[in-house]
Amino acid sequence: MMTAREQILQAVRDASRRQESAGDNVALEAGRLLEGIESCRPALPSVDVVGSFMARAAGPKVGASIDRIASLSLLPSAVGRYLAGRSKSAEIVLQPTAPLLGLDWSGAGVSRGENVDDGIAVGLARWGIAETGSVVFHSSRDTPILQAFLCALHIVAVPARGIVAHLDDYALAARYAGDPAPRNACLITGASGTTDIEGSLVKGAHGPRELHIIVVDNGIPS
Amino acid sequence: MNTRSDRPRVGLFATCLVDLARPRVGFAALRLLEEAGCSVEVPLDQTCCGQPAFNSGATAHAADLARQLIGQFESFDYVVVPSGSCAAMIKVHYVEALAGEPKWLARAESLAAKTWELMSFLVDVRGYRPAGLALATTATYHDSCSGLRELGISKQPRELLAAVDGLELRPLVGNDVCCGFGGTFCVKYAAISNAIVGEKAAAVEGTGASLLLGGDLGCLMNTAGKLSRLGSKVRVMHAAEVIAGMGDGPGIGEEG
Amino acid sequence: MRVDVPPFKSRAKAALGDAVLKTAIDRTAGNAEKKRAIAVGDFPQFPAARVRGRQIKDHVVANLGHYLVEFEQNAIRSGAKVHWARTSEEASRIVIDICRAAGAKRVTRSKSMLGEEIGLPHALETAGIERVETDLAEHIVQLAGETPSHIVWPAMHKTREQVATLFNAKHAVRPDSDAIPDLVASARRDLRKKFLTADVGISGANFLIADTGAVCTVTNEGNAELTTTPPRVHIVTAGIEKLVPSVDHAFALLRLLVRSATGGDFTQYTTFHCGPKRPDDADGPEEFHIVLVDNGRTRMLGEGLAEMLRCIRCGACMNHCVVYRQIGGHAYGATYPGPMGSVLTPVIDGLAKSHDLPNACTLNGRCAEVCPVEIPLPTLLRGWRDKSWKEGLEPLTVRAGIGIWAYFACHPRLYRPATAISVRWMRLFSKGGRISWMPLAGGWTEYRDFPAPQRSTFISSYRAMRKGSQQ
């Protein structure tokens, strides 16, 4: 008796026999379908990839707030500046990654906490994508995915060097990063939102209500 | 058969709706084609293009009617139809209806290539514009779905109507939204059709225009019938009537 | 004497009488229509992207066996367990078995229409496993004890007032007010703990990536990640047509999907899930299961519906459908409503049960115009009508009517006198050019006047004119 798997694959074979069989060149054909993809995707507003990324992320379609600093060592004060003036005392939870943990957070006017649920998370994205204004996280030992989703405010540092032009450029970069595929590759584009009730947009449906992105020109190890 | 002739032989397919419900449209088409320099013939044994059968899934019946029409019209230089949906039936769907009949397929393709909806024929093939026409009134235009989506008819009726002196054409909100006729749909699913045409009627009234025009009698009868039931004063006629100088005649559903 | 009204027509009529529903439909689908138009207008490469999207899907469908095997191999290599389900019952059973093996008492679900298709909510309830819907709209639908009415906005049939009433009754802590932001905040609060204490998280898949064995989910809320990261087990249910060759191909289709569905350019959360948690990962599920579901898709392949397998579930077709916009989703009585639903439902439920769906359509073609992968929906719907006719499913009145019409139309010598008589007969019912009632025309005249025909037909008038001019 055939297993479900065998039956389904057989049914596919039977159906395909009535159509053209594709032969051995499936991968070739798939590759060909990506040729000239530039004509099928939006063009960036300018050749300045980082500038385009920042404009899109801060624009109405993404709705993040954006900042840029010269080096990673300036991150704590940039975070402190962003959080200054908030009524709640700013307790931040850092993504447990060495570049962030090794910074001097003492003078920034923030305190360090453990509970990220409905709190403030500070994370370090590996890539940014200018086409969409996305920041990208890959799960790992020092990148818990839940941090990005449980917080109410997500502050994300992203290396300028890691900002690519298009989604396809990220796909290429991820493939050639030399790492094994992660459990989760998360492309985050703005804060959580929903239009499920009458099509009216509300932020913070389950994920964070606010996303603040800080582009860092130097100091993040590759 | 000389398609470059200065006086092409045109077979006029009036459509069953025009034949039955509003011959004026047929005579308007006749007049326009003659004014556009065509030699027009009306095969007297024409009946129906088969679209109601085709859209009901009765493909065999549709194929019978397709073969009949092909036989009646394929000898002309052009076949012209005052209806986007019937023209599309011939131009786009005859090859589907006759898919299993290779001999007829070639003839269907041949006929499709020279079949035209009336207003697009006048503008795109004959470069015709009416002259010396005047109709001082406000009008609005409904783009029937088949003509619009299957045949790309949109600019042509407006170009023709623009040549009518004194005719103010106002844009219709949702001009490209279906009116809910859909052939047998309007009687099979009458309640849904009514809801759809109710919105169309409201949109027409919203323009403040006195006259509703379009290129397909089915849509026009459907909308006219709803407007009338609602007590509207808006008159409805086929655009060809206005362009043929018959715009002062009775509207659809008026005594005449 | 009243004839039994078929269920579709009575459901449609009930929907037509529901003014609140109409408001809800216009606010959501009407809004979506406008937003899509803006997004497409802002994307000049959209027509080229659409052609490419169609080509990619057609390529996958033409090589479905190849991609299924490649996906399975790569998924297994990444540590996932891959299951195959021929039918909806088999798919649900597999999911329940995995849940039971995991000792699951509580399951969270992110939105999956495929999950609805296979009857997963009901299966979970029957198995006594607590089901927590995390997508806001599915949460609303669950609290209301209803089913989704749109594939992108499952609760589009609900007004804000109705949602407020629901939340006030069902949330552990009542919303702060009836304003939409407070309703959303209330749902966020109500669901937060459940996310973190679920044993199993079940998601769908927007795409299955063949060359990595990864599964792609897209959400605006972030509930997919909250559903699939905390629990020990993550189960994906996906139709076999969701395959794409690589991430790059997924991106090409995502550019079409989001604009067509919501008018955004990209969803807030686009995540690729590949295998379970790695040994060093900070979080993630320990088990990752993928259930590949056929449920009629291979039949579609072989029976002239391959083009329907291009569908990327954007919902644009129903947003632009004049019928859907009047009756909403529930009237269709099926998992999938609107034009795409009317093509799919006869496959899933059988034509005999659902032949009203492909017929309740004007064939106006707007759906095909907005479909981001160029599915010829009117052609496929007409194809179902053709099958329905051949199987004798259409009512006798319709078959007789069309048959008689066709007979006369094929015999012009009979047609001419018959039409002449009809015209004279119809005019008997005319008052001032209008017919407000006549026998056999009830469907028309119930709602509209019928314009009285002219005195004689075009052909007879033309013939008379020719004779007159020849004298």
Side-chain angles (χ1 to χ4, degrees):
Chain A
M1 204 182 73
M2 283 173 112
T3 61
R5 178 183 186 278
E6 285 161 2
Q7 252 186 43
I8 291 171
L9 289 172
Q10 185 62 48
V12 170
R13 272 192 293 273
D14 290 343
S16 303
R17 212 173 280 138
R18 298 178 212 173
Q19 291 150 23
E20 299 260 332
S21 89
D24 303 319
N25 297 319
V26 180
L28 220 66
E29 221 175 282
R32 236 179 269 132
L33 285 169
L34 296 174
E35 279 167 22
I37 203 73
E38 308 75 46
S39 64
C40 302
R41 69 185 182 200
L44 289 189
S46 83
V47 293
D48 174 7
V49 173
V50 176
S52 299
F53 168 80
M54 292 180 65
R56 170 142 283 250
K61 292 197 173 180
V62 176
S65 52
I66 196 100
D67 191 7
R68 187 172 189 173
I69 54 179
S71 103
L72 189 62
S73 56
L74 299 170
L75 185 66
S77 54
V79 170
R81 224 173 24 246
Y82 184 72
L83 295 174
R86 289 184 178 234
S87 49
K88 259 209 302 209
S89 70
E91 183 182 280
I92 62 168
V93 178
L94 290 181
Q95 181 181 328
T97 181
L100 293 184
L101 294 172
L103 293 171
D104 180 7
W105 294 92
S106 56
V110 298
S111 61
R112 298 268 303 274
E114 294 295 316
N115 183 20
V116 75
D117 194 347
D118 237 20
I120 304 170
V122 177
L124 179 60
R126 283 183 69 171
W127 291 279
I129 305 172
E131 176 189 339
T132 50
S134 310
V135 290
V136 186
F137 290 86
H138 280 196
S139 59
S140 68
R141 185 214 312 261
D142 56 9
T143 310
I145 291 300
L146 275 179
Q147 263 195 5
F149 291 88
L150 288 173
C151 60
L153 159 60
H154 196 193
I155 301 175
V156 176
V158 60
R161 168 181 33 82
I163 297 175
V164 299
H166 292 280
L167 290 163
D168 321 90
D169 302 313
Y170 154 69
L172 198 65
R175 231 194 312 273
Y176 289 101
D179 311 332
R183 149 65 190 177
N184 268 157
C186 295
L187 281 68
I188 296 178
T189 314
S192 161
T194 181
T195 54
D196 278 343
I197 303 176
E198 289 187 356
S200 173
L201 176 64
V202 177
K203 293 274 183 87
H206 290 299
R209 275 177 216 102
E210 249 182 288
L211 177 65
H212 179 65
I213 301 172
I214 303 174
V215 176
V216 181
D217 284 325
N218 294 296
I220 299 178
S222 16
Chain B
M1 184 173 72
N2 182 4
T3 53
R4 288 186 175 281
S5 154
D6 227 32
R7 199 168 158 70
R9 275 185 68 241
V10 170
L12 174 62
F13 176 60
T15 79
C16 61
L17 263 185
V18 165
D19 181 49
L20 266 168
R22 197 163 173 86
R24 303 180 65 80
V25 176
F27 287 108
L30 205 47
R31 184 186 293 184
L32 285 166
L33 289 167
E34 282 168 356
E35 269 173 35
C38 303
S39 158
V40 190
E41 283 174 46
V42 180
L44 295 174
D45 50 2
Q46 61 181 264
T47 57
C48 172
C49 68
Q51 192 192 181
F54 187 68
N55 286 346
S56 297
T59 313
H61 286 314
D64 290 340
L65 288 163
R67 277 183 243 105
Q68 176 178 258
L69 191 146
I70 292 171
Q72 289 166 351
F73 282 89
E74 64 187 340
S75 66
F76 292 102
D77 296 336
Y78 297 101
V79 179
V80 178
V81 189
S83 157
S85 66
C86 306
M89 180 66 205
I90 300 168
K91 244 181 132 55
V92 179
H93 299 293
Y94 268 11
V95 293
E96 289 170 29
L98 296 166
E101 304 177 53
K103 277 209 211 109
W104 280 99
L105 257 184
R107 291 168 74 176
E109 275 162 12
S110 192
L111 184 68
K114 54 189 180 180
T115 297
W116 292 82
E117 181 276 341
L118 172 68
M119 290 184 281
S120 94
F121 178 75
L122 292 170
V123 172
D124 298 335
V125 180
R126 299 303 294 166
Y128 170 79
R129 292 289 183 286
L133 280 186
L135 186 67
T137 190
T138 52
T140 192
Y141 194 86
H142 163 73
D143 292 286
S144 298
C145 300
S146 295
L148 177 67
R149 298 203 176 96
E150 296 189 278
L151 303 177
I153 296 165
S154 171
K155 284 211 255 249
Q156 304 91 328
R158 290 167 171 83
E159 282 176 18
L160 290 166
L161 291 167
V164 179
D165 231 9
L167 181 66
E168 181 199 329
L169 203 57
R170 295 183 182 172
L172 175 65
V173 174
N175 60 292
D176 61 350
V177 175
C178 181
C179 72
F181 174 64
T184 55
F185 171 85
C186 69
V187 288
K188 279 165 86 171
Y189 298 96
I192 304 175
S193 172
N194 173 57
I196 298 168
V197 76
E199 283 193 22
K200 177 65 67 178
V204 169
E205 289 274 27
T207 64
S210 311
L211 185 61
L212 169 66
L213 300 172
D216 262 79
L217 202 51
C219 308
L220 293 168
M221 286 170 62
N222 180 43
T223 311
K226 187 61 181 171
L227 285 163
S228 162
R229 181 62 62 88
L230 292 171
S232 168
K233 296 285 175 285
V234 176
R235 305 172 66 227
V236 184
M237 56 175 70
H238 193 293
E241 299 175 56
V242 170
I243 299 160
M246 293 157 62
D248 48 5
I252 294 171
E254 294 174 2
E255 186 103 286
Chain C
M1 189 177 93
R2 246 181 72 91
V3 175
D4 256 5
V5 179
F8 171 76
K9 281 194 184 161
S10 53
R11 285 195 303 266
K13 204 141 190 207
L16 290 171
D18 187 344
V20 172
L21 174 64
K22 186 70 170 82
T23 306
I25 295 170
D26 283 339
R27 279 178 187 164
T28 320
N31 225 2
E33 191 183 352
K34 292 194 186 89
K35 287 200 222 152
R36 176 201 167 272
I38 294 170
V40 167
D42 282 348
F43 183 22
Q45 297 85 356
F46 181 78
R50 198 171 165 239
V51 170
R52 195 66 69 97
R54 187 218 343 124
Q55 290 168 339
I56 290 172
K57 291 297 283 190
D58 280 349
H59 164 77
V60 170
V61 169
N63 297 284
L64 194 57
H66 167 98
Y67 283 116
L68 278 166
V69 169
E70 186 188 355
F71 174 79
E72 181 195 39
Q73 271 169 8
N74 288 318
I76 289 171
R77 194 175 295 138
S78 74
K81 288 204 167 57
V82 178
H83 312 259
W84 300 70
R86 286 159 287 203
T87 63
S88 55
E89 295 78 25
E90 190 165 30
S92 284
R93 206 171 350 110
I94 291 169
V95 173
I96 300 297
D97 286 348
I98 298 169
C99 289
R100 285 217 173 98
K105 297 199 178 46
R106 167 180 289 165
V107 152
T108 43
R109 275 191 74 213
S110 65
K111 189 164 83 65
S112 164
M113 290 311 298
L114 194 280
E116 301 291 329
E117 183 190 322
I118 65 175
L120 196 50
H122 177 74
L124 287 165
E125 258 143 44
T126 307
I129 299 171
E130 184 195 352
R131 166 181 69 105
V132 178
E133 297 293 340
T134 64
D135 173 88
L136 177 63
E138 292 284 7
H139 170 68
I140 293 169
V141 163
Q142 178 174 33
L143 291 184
E146 292 170 356
T147 55
S149 62
H150 189 285
I151 64 173
V152 172
W153 288 284
M156 75 115 70
H157 55 288
K158 287 254 175 286
T159 60
R160 163 175 68 86
E161 292 81 2
Q162 289 171 328
V163 175
T165 307
L166 206 52
F167 284 6
N168 275 305
K170 304 271 185 159
H171 280 177
V173 176
R174 293 164 64 112
D176 292 342
S177 85
D178 287 356
I180 294 177
D182 282 332
L183 296 175
V184 173
S186 187
R188 182 193 170 102
R189 194 168 48 215
D190 203 74
L191 288 167
R192 181 56 56 118
K193 184 148 170 245
K194 297 186 180 166
F195 276 126
L196 300 172
T197 55
D199 306 301
V200 172
I202 306 177
S203 77
N206 293 88
F207 300 101
L208 300 169
I209 315 295
D211 70 352
T212 55
V215 163
C216 176
T217 60
V218 306
T219 68
N220 287 321
E221 297 172 27
N223 61 305
E225 294 75 8
L226 286 166
T227 296
T228 61
T229 311
R232 212 177 53 77
V233 178
H234 173 193
I235 306 174
V236 174
T237 54
I240 55 178
E241 86 287 7
K242 292 292 175 72
L243 284 160
V244 292
S246 76
V247 163
D248 308 71
H249 297 87
F251 285 148
L253 290 166
L254 277 165
R255 291 190 180 104
L256 298 167
L257 171 60
V258 185
R259 288 173 171 89
S260 304
T262 62
D265 290 351
F266 211 60
T267 26
Q268 278 91 315
Y269 301 104
T270 307
T271 295
F272 298 89
H273 312 253
C274 187
K277 172 177 191 268
R278 308 292 186 263
D280 282 348
D281 275 352
D283 54 16
E286 308 206 351
E287 276 179 54
F288 182 49
H289 297 259
I290 302 167
V291 185
L292 297 171
V293 182
D294 180 352
N295 201 32
R297 285 152 177 80
T298 50
R299 218 165 58 240
M300 286 168 65
L301 245 190
E303 289 177 14
L305 287 164
E307 287 148 322
M308 195 59 219
L309 293 172
R310 293 179 194 154
C311 180
I312 57 176
R313 305 294 194 263
C314 72
C317 60
M318 59 196 76
N319 294 336
H320 292 77
C321 172
V322 283
V323 172
Y324 181 91
R325 292 287 293 270
Q326 294 297 336
I327 66 177
H330 286 150
Y332 290 79
T335 304
Y336 304 105
M340 54 85 80
S342 300
V343 175
L344 285 173
T345 304
V347 181
I348 298 168
D349 290 351
L351 191 53
K353 192 169 160 234
S354 59
H355 69 103
D356 263 316
L357 264 49
N359 275 286
C361 158
T362 64
L363 295 179
N364 68 76
R366 183 73 177 126
C367 50
E369 223 173 30
V370 300
C371 174
V373 286
E374 301 188 328
I375 301 172
L377 290 157
T379 305
L380 299 179
L381 291 165
R382 208 209 67 81
W384 278 122
R385 297 180 187 188
D386 179 281
K387 279 207 179 85
S388 181
W389 188 275
K390 290 194 171 91
E391 290 177 25
L393 294 170
E394 292 312 300
L396 189 58
T397 45
V398 174
R399 296 183 67 83
I402 297 277
I404 290 169
W405 170 262
Y407 180 80
F408 276 88
C410 280
H411 295 86
R413 303 268 164 96
L414 297 173
Y415 186 87
R416 295 272 92 87
T419 48
I421 291 167
S422 308
V423 158
R424 272 199 281 274
W425 179 79
M426 283 196 273
R427 284 174 68 83
L428 293 175
F429 298 93
S430 161
K431 287 192 185 83
R434 264 149 239 211
I435 296 167
S436 51
W437 178 86
M438 75 182 161
L440 304 177
W444 182 290
T445 55
E446 188 179 348
Y447 303 104
R448 292 156 284 225
D449 291 337
F450 193 86
Q454 290 177 240
R455 204 154 279 130
S456 42
T457 64
F458 173 70
I459 294 293
S460 44
S461 301
Y462 177 79
R463 191 185 263 134
M465 186 189 84
R466 292 294 307 273
K467 250 198 220 126
S469 71
Q470 276 158 14
Q471 273 156 5

